[in-house]
Amino acid sequence: MWRKRAEIAFFVAPALALLVAFVAVPVATAVQMSLYRWKGFGPMVDFVGLANYVSVLTNDVFTDALVHNLIIVVGSILLQLPLGLAIALLLNRKMWGQGLLRTIIFVPYVLAEVIAGVVWFQLLQPQYGVIDTMLAAVGLQGPDQGFLGTPEYALWTVLVVLTWKYLGLAVILFLAGLQGVPEELYEAAQLDGASWWQVQRRITIPLLGPTMRTWGFLSMIGSLQLFDMVWILTGGGPANATTTMATFLVNEGTKRQNFGIAGAASVVLFVVALVLALAYQRFILSRDSKEDEA
Amino acid sequence: MTRTTRGATMVALGATVALLATACAGQGTGGQGEEETTEPGAPVTITWWHNSNTGDGKKYYDKVAADFEAANEGVTVEVSAMQHEDMLTKLDAAFQAGDAPDVFMERGGGELAAHVEAGLLKDISEPAADTISTIEPYMSGFQVDGASYALPFSIGVVGFWYNKAIFEDAGIEGTPSTMDGLYDVFDKLKASGTTPLSVGAGDKWPAAHYWYYNVIRECSSETLAAAIADVDYSDPCFVKAGEDLEELIDTEPFNKGFLSTPAQSGATSASGLLATGKVAMELAGHWEPGVMQGLTEDGTGLGDNTGWFPYPSIEGQQGTEFAQMGGGDAWAVSNSSPDAAVDFAAYLISDEVQQGFAELDMGLPTNPTASGSVSDPALSELLTVRDGAPEIQLYLDTLLGTSIGGAMNDEIALLFAGKATPQDVVDAVQSAAEAEM
């Protein structure tokens, strides 16, 4: 018995040590930081209790950032789910150029986020950017400050770029899910004279449920932690129109050196993500595990 | 399959051991705050971080270090030349770990004051007294409670860089010295079909420079100093500065999409637009010619068409006439460093080193004997204005520190976007400053 325990300890120890060093300690440090006023150097001595949390939660920029995150969570799912599903169903049919089309759809997802961000930033430049030039060619004019520079459009523009970037992931997951639908069901449906549309609605989509729910979870967590694309496209601007919780905390931390406030914001982000993740698991993903049990 | 898994575990285990080993090693090297006492003549090594990491500048600094070693027996200077952003990141990390280099760059103001408060910097008022008296006009931003903590070696001022050819084409003679004159220039440029100004409001600080200058024009230096010391920005001159800025923004002089325009990166950045002749002017510091050179294919920037004029005066201003706003870099010494490090920092401001520094156009020397050695005509024009200025106010965000500065710049960017009033900017500064108390 002790031998087995020693073996387990031996194999688990390295992973555990890495987890402690790179996950647990930083999380604990962030919590500790959030209770102090600290500039990033010198000893952490100025204990302020929960003052940093009060300042974060009463800051309009942060509450707006939370709303932006939620808009992106909902917007991403509302845009990518139907689009991804439609494309996956289309690409699942045998047709000419299927492999090529799949690749094209998937390429943006493989592209490094920073590169994709810089490319879109250049495309969206007002006056000199490709998109403005194309609009001008057909007699239209983009907004004066550009799509990324106009507070009313900036968040929606970011959402469009995110959809372009992450649609590929949805499509590839749905395609994989489609492979798991047993062929016999289609054959049986055909024998019963079901139309293509009926087959999709009654068989394919319900059986794709677990895949869609898992994708929804990944998409939600990604949207809550959104940082790179926003940082490159707008830096959270203009006029804080695209600030997310992550850009807020980086701005407060590394830019303004208010590490206490950044620590508090990161704890709030962690709690929001945790609560939403648990809720999602409890109310949406649980259906899948229950089905398994049954 | 089993083998690869085991291999991976061994690698992970190895990594853990390595981590533990470095963690243990880290504890032995801490020495922050301990004064290293050295016998005269005993071997000393001082570490020096700078950001002249390319070409002639790097070679020059290597030579400077070698010269110092030759003149001071037993002293070794370990030079680390880094790209600027890398250096800032590494400095932040070094400050956190408590092992900053012996001699490094400081920008003064609130950031320096915070470093002093954290006990990171050495008070060099006594050992470098002679050097300090040579560069007295630039010292104020580098002193805390009367004690000096860094020696400024390059100080520039912000003003309008402009394209002489575009000015000529638009029929503009001379450069404006008042706001009304500046607005006339805008009108003439627009009439000739050129966008007058570019501004990198996407990066915020370039936009904020307009507000800072208006503050320096509208508020007397006593008012500003008192506001900072008493944390009370209620003097109406601060709101007036924002109103002046609104007036300027209302004349619509800026490039299309200025709210998301970056300061210096790429051809469509604010500097890029000026360098490629898409706009006529930009408000920027002494770095602008260098930045523009990097943004043009032939590496010359605007070349002979580069012109410079100072920020205009405002009618009825309370601020000192011809006061300029600027800033620059200084050499600071770590609190735990040996005396030789202070000597080295002082040597970097010596006539000899500063003259070589100026000849290579590495910056704007603070040592008056080196002023004549600056070869670039536009820069020497700027230097004339700087040397003639009755006072040079540090960039307000640097002066107030990153926390207040960041809040201020964000709010000024909102003003540019039409989403904040002049009063909002003052309120943002006030509340950020109160949070620092």
Side-chain angles (χ1 to χ4, degrees):
Chain A
M1 193 60 193
W2 69 267
R3 212 195 130 164
K4 182 151 191 186
R5 279 191 189 154
E7 245 173 50
I8 292 174
F10 179 78
F11 285 111
V12 169
L16 208 61
L18 289 174
L19 197 75
V20 168
F22 293 109
V23 179
V25 171
V27 168
T29 314
V31 174
Q32 186 198 7
M33 234 186 248
S34 71
L35 303 173
Y36 288 84
R37 196 160 73 177
W38 189 54
K39 287 272 156 205
F41 42 77
M44 227 186 267
V45 284
D46 195 357
F47 185 81
V48 292
L50 296 176
N52 287 331
Y53 289 91
V54 173
S55 132
V56 165
L57 293 172
T58 54
N59 187 335
D60 290 344
V61 178
F62 184 80
T63 44
D64 284 354
L66 178 60
V67 171
H68 297 154
N69 274 114
L70 295 176
I71 290 177
I72 289 166
V73 167
V74 175
S76 295
I77 291 179
L78 285 185
L79 275 173
Q80 292 176 35
L81 186 64
L83 272 176
L85 198 59
I87 294 172
L89 290 177
L90 203 71
L91 286 180
N92 202 35
R93 309 176 87 176
K94 293 222 163 17
M95 59 169 154
W96 185 83
Q98 193 187 34
L100 182 72
L101 280 174
R102 283 186 184 185
T103 312
I104 290 174
I105 296 281
F106 198 56
V107 159
Y109 180 67
V110 191
L111 216 61
E113 187 127 341
V114 177
I115 294 170
V118 172
V119 169
W120 274 98
F121 181 80
Q122 295 299 344
L123 289 176
L124 288 164
Q125 279 294 307
Q127 200 167 358
Y128 306 109
V130 173
I131 292 176
D132 254 29
T133 315
M134 274 162 49
L135 285 177
V138 294
L140 292 171
Q141 207 198 351
D144 259 1
Q145 287 290 347
F147 290 97
L148 292 171
T150 310
E152 288 75 23
Y153 302 139
L155 188 65
W156 305 109
T157 311
V158 170
L159 192 60
V160 168
V161 175
L162 285 171
T163 304
W164 171 87
K165 179 87 175 67
Y166 287 101
L167 189 59
L169 176 72
V171 171
I172 224 81
L173 282 177
F174 296 164
L175 276 173
L178 288 173
Q179 310 303 313
V181 180
E183 198 64 31
E184 302 89 73
L185 289 178
Y186 290 125
E187 282 164 17
Q190 255 169 3
L191 286 178
D192 289 342
S195 69
W196 182 82
W197 179 240
Q198 278 175 320
V199 171
Q200 307 309 327
R201 212 161 68 87
R202 303 274 178 204
I203 300 174
T204 317
I205 295 177
L207 283 175
L208 211 52
T211 313
M212 290 197 283
R213 287 190 280 275
T214 309
W215 166 80
F217 185 73
L218 293 177
S219 171
M220 180 184 81
I221 297 297
S223 301
L224 284 174
Q225 297 178 341
L226 180 63
F227 173 73
D228 331 31
M229 191 58 92
V230 171
W231 198 247
I232 290 173
L233 287 178
T234 64
N240 297 318
T242 57
T243 312
T244 66
M245 288 187 280
T247 65
F248 175 87
L249 77 92
V250 168
N251 195 34
E252 283 292 338
T254 55
K255 292 258 163 175
R256 295 197 194 172
Q257 299 190 306
N258 291 331
F259 285 95
I261 301 221
S266 68
V267 171
V268 173
L269 168 58
F270 177 72
V271 169
V272 168
L274 190 71
V275 166
L276 284 179
L278 289 177
Y280 195 92
Q281 213 133 31
R282 172 77 183 74
F283 296 109
I284 298 178
L285 283 181
S286 65
R287 293 172 58 177
D288 299 332
S289 42
K290 265 185 205 143
E291 276 162 25
D292 287 349
E293 281 161 27
Chain B
M1 192 63 204
T2 338
R3 279 182 58 194
T4 50
T5 321
R6 237 178 95 182
T9 319
M10 291 317 284
V11 170
L13 192 66
T16 323
V17 173
L19 265 175
L20 290 172
T22 41
C24 295
Q27 286 180 342
T29 51
Q32 188 196 358
E34 298 164 20
E35 193 93 14
E36 282 175 37
T37 45
T38 41
E39 300 289 317
V44 199
T45 301
I46 50 181
T47 48
W48 176 33
W49 289 10
H50 68 74
N51 66 352
S52 296
N53 63 329
T54 52
D56 291 341
K58 183 175 188 304
K59 272 186 226 152
Y60 179 65
Y61 272 166
D62 285 343
K63 182 183 159 297
V64 166
D67 289 350
F68 185 77
E69 286 174 346
N72 296 270
E73 206 181 325
V75 178
T76 312
V77 182
E78 248 177 45
V79 189
S80 299
M82 291 171 244
Q83 193 265 334
H84 184 69
E85 301 294 328
D86 283 353
M87 185 186 74
L88 296 183
T89 312
K90 284 192 179 132
L91 271 177
D92 276 346
F95 288 145
Q96 282 181 32
D99 60 349
D102 293 315
V103 180
F104 57 91
M105 282 163 75
E106 277 282 357
R107 287 173 293 196
E111 198 177 83
L112 176 125
H115 290 163
V116 169
E117 200 182 323
L120 297 165
L121 304 183
K122 199 195 237 344
D123 176 357
I124 52 174
S125 322
E126 281 293 309
D130 289 348
T131 309
I132 290 168
S133 68
T134 333
I135 53 172
E136 194 60 51
Y138 311 107
M139 282 306 297
S140 68
F142 303 89
Q143 290 167 329
V144 179
D145 299 331
S148 303
Y149 291 92
L151 304 171
F153 63 91
S154 176
I155 297 284
V157 293
V158 170
F160 283 104
W161 293 93
Y162 71 100
N163 186 326
K164 286 181 174 170
I166 292 182
F167 266 47
E168 205 172 302
D169 289 347
I172 300 161
E173 281 168 20
T175 51
S177 59
T178 62
M179 275 296 160
D180 289 337
L182 185 67
Y183 295 156
D184 280 346
V185 168
F186 291 170
D187 290 340
K188 284 184 182 153
L189 287 166
K190 282 187 190 171
S192 77
T194 312
T195 307
L197 278 169
S198 63
V199 62
D203 281 333
K204 295 172 188 166
W205 57 264
H209 280 176
Y210 283 91
W211 191 80
Y212 304 169
Y213 247 129
N214 287 352
V215 166
I216 290 163
R217 294 282 178 266
E218 293 289 6
C219 308
S220 70
S221 53
E222 294 78 29
T223 307
L224 179 59
I228 295 170
D230 306 339
V231 191
D232 176 10
Y233 295 86
S234 58
D235 193 288
C237 70
F238 292 102
V239 175
K240 183 77 175 33
E243 288 166 357
D244 295 340
L245 179 52
E246 273 189 326
E247 190 184 296
L248 183 133
I249 296 168
D250 284 345
T251 66
E252 300 187 351
F254 296 114
N255 59 299
K256 224 181 157 190
F258 62 88
L259 287 178
S260 58
T261 303
Q264 302 170 348
S265 51
T268 50
S269 66
S271 299
L273 291 173
L274 179 63
T276 53
K278 298 278 200 304
V279 301
M281 302 182 268
E282 189 201 355
L283 184 67
H286 58 285
W287 55 79
E288 191 66 3
V291 172
M292 286 199 289
Q293 283 157 20
L295 289 171
T296 44
E297 263 179 73
D298 56 5
T300 56
L302 283 180
D304 294 341
N305 283 323
T306 315
W308 187 89
F309 64 90
Y311 198 84
S313 61
I314 298 173
E315 211 179 75
Q317 65 176 41
Q318 300 294 309
T320 318
E321 208 173 2
F322 306 123
Q324 302 296 321
M325 178 195 72
D329 298 306
W331 298 120
V333 178
S334 269
N335 204 3
S336 59
S337 298
D339 295 342
V342 183
D343 296 342
F344 181 65
Y347 175 66
L348 291 173
I349 313 292
S350 66
D351 300 357
E352 178 196 347
V353 174
Q354 281 259 292
Q355 279 164 17
F357 174 82
E359 279 162 18
L360 289 171
D361 281 331
M362 289 168 73
L364 296 172
T366 48
N367 186 322
T369 60
S371 288
S373 306
V374 173
S375 56
D376 186 287
L379 279 179
S380 63
E381 205 167 321
L382 184 153
L383 211 58
T384 314
V385 172
R386 183 198 76 174
D387 292 346
E391 61 193 54
I392 294 171
Q393 189 64 58
L394 200 60
Y395 312 115
L396 294 191
D397 53 352
T398 310
L399 184 68
L400 296 172
T402 45
S403 180
I404 306 171
M408 172 170 67
N409 290 358
D410 278 4
E411 207 67 24
I412 297 170
L414 288 181
L415 184 94
F416 269 76
K419 302 274 178 188
T421 64
Q423 185 64 48
D424 290 339
V425 177
V426 179
D427 292 346
V429 176
Q430 180 72 36
S431 67
E434 280 169 11
E436 287 282 284
M437 285 166 81

